[in-house]
Amino acid sequence: MATIFSICLLFTLYYITFSTFYSTVSGIFCEEISEGIAIKRAEKRSHLHFYFHDVISGKKPSAVKIAGPPNSSAYGFGATMMMDDALTEGPEISSKLVGRAQGMYALAAQEDVSLLMVMNLAFIEGTYNGSSISVVGRNPVFDDVREMPIVGGSGVFRFGRGYALAHTIWF
C-alpha cells in the first residue's frame, strides 16, 4: 500500500514540477488559470425552438451559390452555398429576430437531395445573446424530420453537444 501511495505522490510532484518548469520556460504558450475562470459547472439541457429562413432568390437572398460543378447533375451534386439566414421566434420572416444561421451547405449526394451542413447558430436575443451553437452534419432535405449533430458552441453553449431537429414547414 505504501508503494502505491509513493508512486501516486511522485507522479503528482513530477506533474507540479514539470508544469511549473514548462510555464517558466514557455510562458507564451502556457499560463495559469485562476479559479474564477475555471469551468466547474454541471451540464445543463436546453431546448430551443426557432424558425430558420433560407432565402435563395429575390432582391436580398440570404444564401448564395459560391461554387458548383462544371456540368449540372440531376440533384445539383457539388453546388455549395454560403448563408446568413434569419432565425426567428415565429414562422413568418417578419417575426422577432433571435439570431442568424451563418455558414455553408453543399449538395453532397448524387442519388438524392442531401446537404452537408456546416453552420453556427449565432443568437442575439435574451440569455443567449452573443452565444452560438455549431452544427455539422447531413441534412436529407426531403425527409420529414432531420437530425443533425451539435458539435460545439460558445458563450452559454461552450462545449455544447447534442442534436438539432429540422422540419420543413414551407419550401
Side-chain angles (χ1 to χ4, degrees), residues 152-169:
S154 67
V156 298
F157 299 115
R158 182 180 294 153
F159 298 118
R161 61 186 176 153
Y163 62 94
L165 296 176
H167 169 74
T168 302
I169 294 178

Side-chain angles (χ1 to χ4, degrees), residues 29-99:
F29 299 108
C30 178
E31 65 183 63
E32 297 297 318
I33 298 176
S34 71
E35 286 300 313
I37 298 174
I39 299 170
K40 294 182 181 181
R41 59 181 170 179
E43 285 192 14
K44 182 180 171 186
R45 174 178 270 176
S46 299
H47 178 93
L48 305 174
H49 185 95
F50 51 83
Y51 295 84
F52 182 110
H53 302 273
D54 190 44
V55 181
I56 58 173
S57 63
K59 293 179 184 176
K60 191 175 178 191
S62 62
V64 295
K65 188 173 181 179
I66 59 169
N71 51 9
S72 175
S73 67
Y75 296 102
F77 177 68
T80 304
M81 308 286 282
M82 183 65 66
M83 68 176 171
D84 184 12
D85 296 340
L87 303 177
T88 62
E89 269 186 358
E92 301 81 24
I93 191 117
S94 59
S95 62
K96 184 177 181 180
L97 186 70
V98 296

Side-chain angles (χ1 to χ4, degrees), residues 18 82 119 171:
F18 179 73
M82 183 65 66
M119 68 179 164
F171 184 69

